[in-house]
Coordinates of all heavy atoms in Angstrom, one line a residue:
M1 N 126.2 106.8 121.2 CA 126.5 107.7 120.1 C 125.8 107.3 118.8 O 125.4 108.2 118.1 CB 128.1 107.7 119.9 CG 128.5 108.7 118.9 SD 128.3 110.4 119.5 CE 129.3 111.2 118.5
N2 N 125.7 106.0 118.6 CA 125.0 105.5 117.4 C 123.5 105.8 117.5 O 122.9 106.1 116.4 CB 125.2 104.0 117.3 CG 126.6 103.7 116.8 OD1 127.3 104.5 116.2 ND2 127.0 102.4 117.1
R3 N 122.9 105.8 118.7 CA 121.5 106.2 118.8 C 121.3 107.6 118.4 O 120.3 107.9 117.8 CB 121.0 105.9 120.2 CG 120.9 104.4 120.5 CD 120.3 104.3 121.9 NE 120.3 102.9 122.2 CZ 119.9 102.4 123.4 NH1 119.5 103.2 124.3 NH2 120.0 101.1 123.6
I4 N 122.2 108.5 118.8 CA 122.0 109.9 118.5 C 122.1 110.1 117.0 O 121.3 110.8 116.4 CB 123.1 110.7 119.3 CG1 122.8 110.7 120.8 CG2 123.1 112.2 118.8 CD1 123.9 111.3 121.6
L5 N 123.1 109.5 116.4 CA 123.3 109.6 114.9 C 122.1 109.0 114.2 O 121.6 109.6 113.2 CB 124.6 108.9 114.5 CG 125.9 109.6 114.8 CD1 127.1 108.8 114.4 CD2 125.9 111.0 114.2
A6 N 121.6 107.9 114.7 CA 120.4 107.3 114.0 C 119.2 108.2 114.2 O 118.4 108.3 113.2 CB 120.2 105.9 114.6
S7 N 119.0 108.8 115.3 CA 117.8 109.6 115.5 C 118.0 110.9 114.7 O 117.0 111.4 114.1 CB 117.6 109.9 117.0 OG 118.7 110.6 117.5
L8 N 119.2 111.5 114.6 CA 119.4 112.6 113.8 C 119.2 112.3 112.3 O 118.6 113.1 111.5 CB 120.8 113.2 114.0 CG 121.0 113.9 115.3 CD1 122.5 114.3 115.4 CD2 120.1 115.1 115.4
L9 N 119.6 111.2 111.9 CA 119.4 110.7 110.5 C 117.9 110.5 110.2 O 117.4 110.9 109.1 CB 120.2 109.5 110.2 CG 120.1 108.9 108.8 CD1 120.7 110.0 107.8 CD2 120.9 107.6 108.6
A10 N 117.2 109.9 111.1 CA 115.8 109.7 110.9 C 115.0 111.1 110.9 O 114.1 111.3 110.0 CB 115.2 108.9 112.1
A11 N 115.4 112.0 111.7 CA 114.8 113.3 111.7 C 115.1 114.0 110.4 O 114.2 114.7 109.8 CB 115.3 114.1 112.9
L12 N 116.3 113.9 109.9 CA 116.7 114.5 108.6 C 115.9 113.9 107.5 O 115.4 114.6 106.6 CB 118.2 114.3 108.4 CG 118.7 115.0 107.1 CD1 118.5 116.5 107.1 CD2 120.2 114.6 106.9
I13 N 115.7 112.6 107.5 CA 114.9 111.9 106.4 C 113.4 112.4 106.5 O 112.8 112.7 105.5 CB 115.0 110.4 106.6 CG1 116.4 110.0 106.2 CG2 113.9 109.7 105.7 CD1 116.7 108.5 106.5
V14 N 112.9 112.5 107.7 CA 111.5 113.0 107.8 C 111.4 114.5 107.3 O 110.4 114.8 106.6 CB 111.0 112.9 109.3 CG1 109.7 113.6 109.5 CG2 110.9 111.4 109.7
L15 N 112.3 115.3 107.7 CA 112.3 116.7 107.2 C 112.4 116.8 105.7 O 111.7 117.6 105.1 CB 113.4 117.5 107.9 CG 113.2 117.8 109.4 CD1 114.4 118.5 110.0 CD2 111.9 118.6 109.7
V16 N 113.2 116.0 105.1 CA 113.4 116.0 103.7 C 112.1 115.6 103.0 O 111.6 116.1 102.0 CB 114.6 115.2 103.2 CG1 114.6 114.9 101.7 CG2 115.9 115.8 103.6
A17 N 111.5 114.5 103.6 CA 110.2 114.0 103.0 C 109.1 115.1 103.1 O 108.3 115.3 102.2 CB 109.8 112.8 103.7
I18 N 109.0 115.8 104.3 CA 108.0 116.8 104.4 C 108.2 118.0 103.5 O 107.3 118.5 102.8 CB 108.0 117.3 105.9 CG1 107.4 116.2 106.8 CG2 107.2 118.6 106.1 CD1 107.6 116.5 108.3
N19 N 109.5 118.4 103.3 CA 109.9 119.4 102.4 C 109.5 119.1 101.0 O 109.0 119.9 100.2 CB 111.3 119.8 102.5 CG 111.7 121.0 101.7 OD1 111.0 121.9 101.6 ND2 112.9 120.9 101.0
S20 N 109.7 117.8 100.6 CA 109.4 117.4 99.2 C 107.9 117.5 99.0 O 107.5 117.9 97.9 CB 109.9 115.9 99.0 OG 111.2 115.9 99.1
V21 N 107.1 117.0 99.9 CA 105.6 117.1 99.8 C 105.2 118.6 99.7 O 104.3 118.9 98.8 CB 104.9 116.4 101.0 CG1 103.4 116.6 101.0 CG2 105.2 114.9 100.9
L22 N 105.7 119.4 100.5 CA 105.3 120.8 100.5 C 105.7 121.5 99.1 O 104.9 122.3 98.6 CB 106.0 121.6 101.6 CG 105.5 121.2 103.0 CD1 106.3 122.0 104.1 CD2 104.0 121.5 103.2
V23 N 106.9 121.2 98.6 CA 107.3 121.7 97.3 C 106.4 121.2 96.2 O 106.0 121.9 95.3 CB 108.8 121.4 97.1 CG1 109.2 121.7 95.6 CG2 109.6 122.2 98.0
W24 N 106.1 119.9 96.3 CA 105.2 119.3 95.3 C 103.8 120.0 95.2 O 103.3 120.3 94.2 CB 105.1 117.8 95.5 CG 104.1 117.1 94.6 CD1 104.3 116.9 93.3 CD2 102.9 116.5 95.0 NE1 103.2 116.2 92.8 CE2 102.3 115.9 93.9 CE3 102.3 116.4 96.2 CZ2 101.1 115.3 93.9 CZ3 101.1 115.7 96.3 CH2 100.5 115.2 95.1
R25 N 103.2 120.2 96.4 CA 101.9 120.8 96.5 C 102.0 122.3 96.0 O 101.1 122.8 95.3 CB 101.4 120.8 98.0 CG 100.9 119.5 98.4 CD 99.6 119.0 97.6 NE 98.6 120.0 97.8 CZ 97.7 120.3 96.9 NH1 97.7 119.8 95.7 NH2 96.7 121.2 97.1
A26 N 103.0 123.0 96.3 CA 103.2 124.4 95.9 C 103.3 124.4 94.4 O 102.7 125.3 93.7 CB 104.4 125.0 96.5
D27 N 104.0 123.5 93.8 CA 104.1 123.4 92.3 C 102.7 123.2 91.7 O 102.4 123.8 90.7 CB 105.1 122.3 91.9 CG 105.3 122.2 90.4 OD1 105.6 123.3 89.8 OD2 105.0 121.2 89.9
E28 N 102.0 122.3 92.3 CA 100.6 122.0 91.8 C 99.7 123.2 91.8 O 99.0 123.6 90.8 CB 99.9 120.9 92.6 CG 100.2 119.5 92.1 CD 99.3 118.5 92.9 OE1 98.6 118.9 93.8 OE2 99.4 117.3 92.5
R29 N 99.8 123.9 92.9 CA 99.0 125.2 93.0 C 99.4 126.2 92.0 O 98.6 126.9 91.5 CB 99.1 125.7 94.5 CG 98.1 125.0 95.4 CD 98.1 125.7 96.8 NE 98.3 124.7 97.7 CZ 99.3 124.7 98.7 NH1 100.1 125.7 98.7 NH2 99.4 123.8 99.5
A30 N 100.7 126.3 91.8 CA 101.2 127.3 90.9 C 100.8 127.0 89.5 O 100.4 127.9 88.7 CB 102.8 127.4 91.0
R31 N 100.8 125.7 89.1 CA 100.3 125.3 87.8 C 98.8 125.6 87.6 O 98.4 126.1 86.6 CB 100.6 123.8 87.5 CG 102.0 123.6 87.3 CD 102.3 122.0 87.2 NE 103.7 121.7 87.3 CZ 104.4 121.5 86.2 NH1 103.9 121.5 85.0 NH2 105.7 121.2 86.4
E32 N 98.0 125.3 88.6 CA 96.6 125.6 88.6 C 96.3 127.1 88.5 O 95.4 127.5 87.7 CB 95.9 125.0 89.8 CG 95.8 123.5 89.9 CD 95.4 123.0 91.2 OE1 95.1 123.8 92.1 OE2 95.3 121.7 91.4
D33 N 97.0 127.9 89.2 CA 96.9 129.3 89.1 C 97.3 129.8 87.7 O 96.6 130.7 87.2 CB 97.7 130.0 90.2 CG 97.2 129.8 91.6 OD1 96.0 129.4 91.7 OD2 97.9 130.0 92.6
A34 N 98.3 129.3 87.2 CA 98.7 129.7 85.8 C 97.7 129.3 84.8 O 97.4 130.1 83.9 CB 100.1 129.1 85.5
E35 N 97.1 128.1 84.9 CA 96.1 127.7 83.9 C 94.8 128.7 84.1 O 94.3 129.1 83.1 CB 95.7 126.3 84.2 CG 96.7 125.3 83.8 CD 96.3 123.9 84.1 OE1 95.1 123.7 84.5 OE2 97.1 123.0 84.0
R36 N 94.5 129.0 85.3 CA 93.3 129.9 85.5 C 93.6 131.3 85.0 O 92.7 131.9 84.3 CB 93.0 130.0 87.0 CG 91.7 130.7 87.3 CD 91.3 130.6 88.7 NE 90.0 131.2 88.9 CZ 89.8 132.4 89.3 NH1 90.9 133.2 89.6 NH2 88.6 132.9 89.5
Q37 N 94.8 131.8 85.2 CA 95.2 133.1 84.7 C 95.1 133.1 83.1 O 94.7 134.1 82.5 CB 96.5 133.5 85.2 CG 97.0 134.9 84.8 CD 96.1 136.0 85.3 OE1 95.6 135.8 86.4 NE2 95.9 137.1 84.6
T38 N 95.6 132.1 82.5 CA 95.6 132.0 81.0 C 94.2 132.0 80.5 O 93.9 132.6 79.5 CB 96.3 130.7 80.6 OG1 97.7 130.7 81.1 CG2 96.3 130.5 79.1
C39 N 93.3 131.2 81.2 CA 91.9 131.2 80.8 C 91.3 132.6 80.9 O 90.5 133.0 80.0 CB 91.1 130.2 81.7 SG 89.4 130.0 81.3
I40 N 91.5 133.3 82.0 CA 91.0 134.7 82.2 C 91.5 135.6 81.1 O 90.8 136.4 80.6 CB 91.3 135.2 83.6 CG1 90.5 134.4 84.6 CG2 91.0 136.7 83.7 CD1 90.9 134.6 86.1
E41 N 92.8 135.5 80.8 CA 93.4 136.4 79.7 C 92.8 136.1 78.4 O 92.5 137.0 77.6 CB 94.9 136.2 79.7 CG 95.6 136.8 80.9 CD 97.1 136.5 80.9 OE1 97.6 135.8 80.0 OE2 97.7 136.9 81.9
K42 N 92.5 134.8 78.1 CA 91.8 134.5 76.8 C 90.4 135.1 76.8 O 90.0 135.6 75.7 CB 91.7 133.0 76.6 CG 93.1 132.4 76.3 CD 92.9 130.9 76.1 CE 94.2 130.2 75.8 NZ 94.1 128.7 75.7
A43 N 89.7 135.0 77.9 CA 88.4 135.6 78.0 C 88.4 137.1 77.8 O 87.6 137.7 77.1 CB 87.7 135.3 79.3
Q44 N 89.4 137.8 78.4 CA 89.6 139.2 78.2 C 89.9 139.6 76.7 O 89.3 140.5 76.2 CB 90.7 139.8 79.1 CG 90.3 139.8 80.5 CD 91.5 140.2 81.4 OE1 92.7 140.1 81.0 NE2 91.2 140.7 82.6
A45 N 90.7 138.8 76.1 CA 91.1 139.0 74.7 C 89.8 138.9 73.8 O 89.6 139.6 72.9 CB 92.2 138.1 74.2
T46 N 89.0 137.8 74.1 CA 87.8 137.6 73.4 C 86.8 138.8 73.5 O 86.2 139.3 72.5 CB 87.1 136.3 73.8 OG1 88.0 135.2 73.7 CG2 85.8 136.1 73.1
A47 N 86.7 139.3 74.7 CA 85.8 140.5 74.9 C 86.3 141.7 74.2 O 85.5 142.4 73.6 CB 85.7 140.8 76.4
I48 N 87.6 141.9 74.2 CA 88.2 143.1 73.6 C 87.9 143.0 72.1 O 87.5 144.0 71.4 CB 89.7 143.3 73.9 CG1 89.8 143.7 75.4 CG2 90.3 144.3 73.0 CD1 91.2 143.6 75.9
I49 N 88.2 141.9 71.5 CA 88.0 141.7 70.1 C 86.5 141.8 69.7 O 86.2 142.5 68.8 CB 88.5 140.3 69.6 CG1 90.1 140.3 69.7 CG2 88.1 140.0 68.2 CD1 90.7 138.9 69.5
G50 N 85.7 141.2 70.6 CA 84.2 141.4 70.3 C 83.7 142.8 70.4 O 82.8 143.2 69.7
L51 N 84.3 143.6 71.2 CA 83.9 145.0 71.3 C 84.5 145.8 70.2 O 83.9 146.9 69.8 CB 84.3 145.6 72.7 CG 83.5 145.0 73.9 CD1 84.1 145.5 75.2 CD2 82.0 145.4 73.8
M52 N 85.7 145.5 69.7 CA 86.4 146.3 68.7 C 86.0 146.0 67.3 O 85.9 146.9 66.5 CB 87.9 146.1 68.9 CG 88.5 146.6 70.1 SD 88.4 148.4 70.2 CE 89.6 148.8 69.0
I53 N 85.6 144.8 67.0 CA 85.3 144.4 65.6 C 84.1 145.2 65.0 O 84.2 145.7 63.9 CB 85.2 142.9 65.4 CG1 86.5 142.2 65.5 CG2 84.4 142.5 64.1 CD1 86.5 140.7 65.4
P54 N 83.0 145.3 65.8 CA 81.9 146.1 65.2 C 82.3 147.5 64.9 O 81.9 148.1 64.0 CB 80.8 146.0 66.2 CG 81.1 144.7 67.0 CD 82.6 144.6 67.0
T55 N 83.1 148.1 65.8 CA 83.6 149.5 65.6 C 84.5 149.6 64.4 O 84.4 150.6 63.7 CB 84.3 149.9 66.9 OG1 83.5 149.7 68.0 CG2 84.6 151.4 66.8
L56 N 85.3 148.6 64.2 CA 86.2 148.7 63.0 C 85.5 148.4 61.7 O 86.0 148.9 60.7 CB 87.4 147.7 63.2 CG 88.3 148.0 64.4 CD1 89.3 146.8 64.6 CD2 89.0 149.3 64.3
L57 N 84.5 147.6 61.7 CA 83.8 147.2 60.5 C 82.8 148.3 60.0 O 82.5 148.3 58.8 CB 83.1 145.9 60.7 CG 84.0 144.7 60.9 CD1 83.1 143.4 61.1 CD2 84.9 144.5 59.8
T58 N 82.3 149.1 60.8 CA 81.4 150.1 60.4 C 82.1 151.4 60.1 O 83.0 151.8 60.8 CB 80.3 150.4 61.5 OG1 81.0 150.8 62.7 CG2 79.5 149.1 61.7
S59 N 81.7 152.0 59.0 CA 82.3 153.3 58.6 C 81.6 154.5 59.3 O 82.2 155.6 59.4 CB 82.3 153.4 57.1 OG 80.9 153.4 56.6
D60 N 80.4 154.3 59.7 CA 79.7 155.5 60.3 C 79.7 155.2 61.8 O 80.3 154.3 62.4 CB 78.3 155.6 59.8 CG 77.5 154.3 59.9 OD1 78.0 153.3 60.3 OD2 76.3 154.4 59.5
D61 N 78.9 156.1 62.5 CA 78.9 156.0 64.0 C 77.9 154.9 64.5 O 77.8 154.7 65.7 CB 78.5 157.4 64.6 CG 79.5 158.4 64.4 OD1 80.7 158.0 64.2 OD2 79.2 159.6 64.3
E62 N 77.2 154.3 63.6 CA 76.2 153.3 63.9 C 77.0 151.9 64.2 O 77.6 151.3 63.4 CB 75.3 153.1 62.8 CG 74.0 152.3 63.1 CD 73.1 153.0 64.1 OE1 73.1 154.2 64.0 OE2 72.5 152.3 64.8
V63 N 76.9 151.6 65.5 CA 77.6 150.3 65.9 C 76.5 149.3 66.3 O 75.6 149.7 67.0 CB 78.6 150.6 67.1 CG1 79.2 149.3 67.6 CG2 79.6 151.6 66.7
D64 N 76.7 148.1 65.9 CA 75.7 147.1 66.3 C 75.8 146.7 67.7 O 76.7 146.0 68.2 CB 76.0 145.9 65.4 CG 75.0 144.8 65.6 OD1 73.9 145.1 66.1 OD2 75.2 143.6 65.1
R65 N 74.9 147.3 68.5 CA 74.9 147.1 70.0 C 74.6 145.6 70.4 O 75.1 145.1 71.4 CB 74.0 148.0 70.7 CG 74.3 149.5 70.5 CD 75.5 149.9 71.2 NE 75.8 151.3 71.0 CZ 77.0 151.8 71.1 NH1 78.0 151.1 71.4 NH2 77.2 153.1 70.8
D66 N 73.8 144.9 69.6 CA 73.5 143.6 69.9 C 74.7 142.7 69.9 O 74.9 141.8 70.7 CB 72.4 143.0 68.9 CG 71.1 143.7 69.1 OD1 70.8 144.1 70.3 OD2 70.3 143.7 68.2
S67 N 75.6 142.9 68.9 CA 76.8 142.0 68.8 C 77.7 142.3 70.0 O 78.4 141.5 70.5 CB 77.5 142.2 67.5 OG 78.0 143.5 67.4
Q68 N 77.8 143.6 70.4 CA 78.6 143.9 71.6 C 78.0 143.3 72.8 O 78.8 142.8 73.7 CB 78.7 145.4 71.7 CG 79.6 146.1 70.7 CD 79.7 147.6 70.9 OE1 78.8 148.2 71.4 NE2 80.8 148.1 70.5
I69 N 76.7 143.3 73.0 CA 76.1 142.6 74.2 C 76.4 141.1 74.1 O 76.7 140.5 75.2 CB 74.6 143.0 74.2 CG1 74.4 144.5 74.5 CG2 73.9 142.1 75.2 CD1 73.0 144.9 74.4
Q70 N 76.3 140.5 73.0 CA 76.6 139.1 72.9 C 78.1 138.8 73.2 O 78.4 137.8 73.9 CB 76.3 138.6 71.5 CG 74.8 138.5 71.2 CD 74.6 138.1 69.7 OE1 75.5 138.1 68.9 NE2 73.3 137.7 69.4
S71 N 79.0 139.7 72.8 CA 80.4 139.6 73.2 C 80.6 139.6 74.7 O 81.4 138.9 75.2 CB 81.2 140.6 72.5 OG 81.1 140.5 71.1
L72 N 79.9 140.5 75.3 CA 80.0 140.7 76.8 C 79.4 139.4 77.4 O 79.9 139.0 78.5 CB 79.3 141.9 77.2 CG 80.0 143.2 76.9 CD1 79.2 144.4 77.3 CD2 81.4 143.3 77.5
G73 N 78.4 138.9 76.9 CA 77.8 137.6 77.4 C 78.8 136.5 77.2 O 78.9 135.6 78.1
A74 N 79.6 136.5 76.2 CA 80.5 135.4 75.9 C 81.6 135.5 77.0 O 82.1 134.4 77.4 CB 81.1 135.5 74.5
I75 N 82.1 136.7 77.4 CA 83.1 136.7 78.4 C 82.6 136.2 79.7 O 83.3 135.6 80.5 CB 83.7 138.2 78.5 CG1 84.9 138.1 79.4 CG2 82.7 139.1 79.1 CD1 85.6 139.4 79.6
G76 N 81.3 136.4 80.0 CA 80.8 135.9 81.3 C 80.8 134.4 81.3 O 81.2 133.7 82.3
T77 N 80.5 133.8 80.1 CA 80.5 132.3 80.0 C 81.9 131.8 80.1 O 82.1 130.8 80.8 CB 79.9 131.9 78.6 OG1 78.6 132.5 78.5 CG2 79.8 130.4 78.5
Q78 N 82.8 132.5 79.5 CA 84.2 132.0 79.5 C 84.8 132.1 81.0 O 85.5 131.3 81.4 CB 85.1 132.8 78.6 CG 84.9 132.3 77.1 CD 85.8 133.1 76.2 OE1 86.2 134.2 76.4 NE2 86.1 132.5 75.0
L79 N 84.5 133.2 81.6 CA 85.0 133.4 83.0 C 84.3 132.3 83.9 O 85.0 131.9 84.9 CB 84.7 134.8 83.5 CG 85.5 135.9 82.9 CD1 85.1 137.3 83.3 CD2 87.0 135.7 83.2
D80 N 83.1 132.0 83.7 CA 82.5 130.9 84.5 C 83.2 129.6 84.3 O 83.3 128.8 85.2 CB 81.0 130.8 84.2 CG 80.2 132.0 84.8 OD1 80.7 132.7 85.7 OD2 79.1 132.2 84.3
A81 N 83.6 129.4 83.1 CA 84.3 128.1 82.8 C 85.7 128.1 83.4 O 86.2 127.0 83.7 CB 84.5 128.0 81.3
C82 N 86.3 129.2 83.7 CA 87.6 129.3 84.4 C 87.5 128.9 85.8 O 88.3 128.5 86.5 CB 88.2 130.7 84.3 SG 88.6 131.1 82.6

């Protein structure tokens, strides 16, 4: 009877250890995904601001296309960094 209880206890300890490792790895992946998503959202905000500012600053229909192209280049750089 003691051998059965000892083997069940050992199996339970192993299962708890495996579960702990799996939960820890899932938490790490979730944190990495959240950091990557935050980085992408910042790049999107930068692109939107870069595209909107020249439009808001000019009173006529003439929009500085070079600054918009540079803003789009900045989002590519930021997304590569993510």
Side-chain angles (χ1 to χ4, degrees):
M1 186 67 161
N2 286 339
R3 288 183 187 177
I4 294 173
L5 288 176
S7 62
L8 288 175
L9 182 61
L12 181 63
I13 290 172
V14 169
L15 290 174
V16 168
I18 290 172
N19 186 40
S20 298
V21 169
L22 291 176
V23 168
W24 175 66
R25 284 294 300 146
D27 182 56
E28 270 188 0
R29 277 189 233 124
R31 288 176 192 259
E32 290 169 0
D33 291 343
E35 287 176 10
R36 186 169 186 268
Q37 183 65 31
T38 301
C39 183
I40 290 171
E41 289 173 359
K42 286 180 182 178
Q44 288 175 339
T46 301
I48 290 170
I49 291 169
L51 291 173
M52 292 294 292
I53 286 180
T55 307
L56 296 174
L57 293 179
T58 57
S59 58
D60 55 358
D61 293 336
E62 193 68 29
V63 177
D64 186 14
R65 299 288 178 205
D66 291 335
S67 64
Q68 286 183 331
I69 291 171
Q70 288 175 347
S71 298
L72 291 175
I75 189 174
T77 304
Q78 284 181 334
L79 288 175
D80 288 341
C82 294

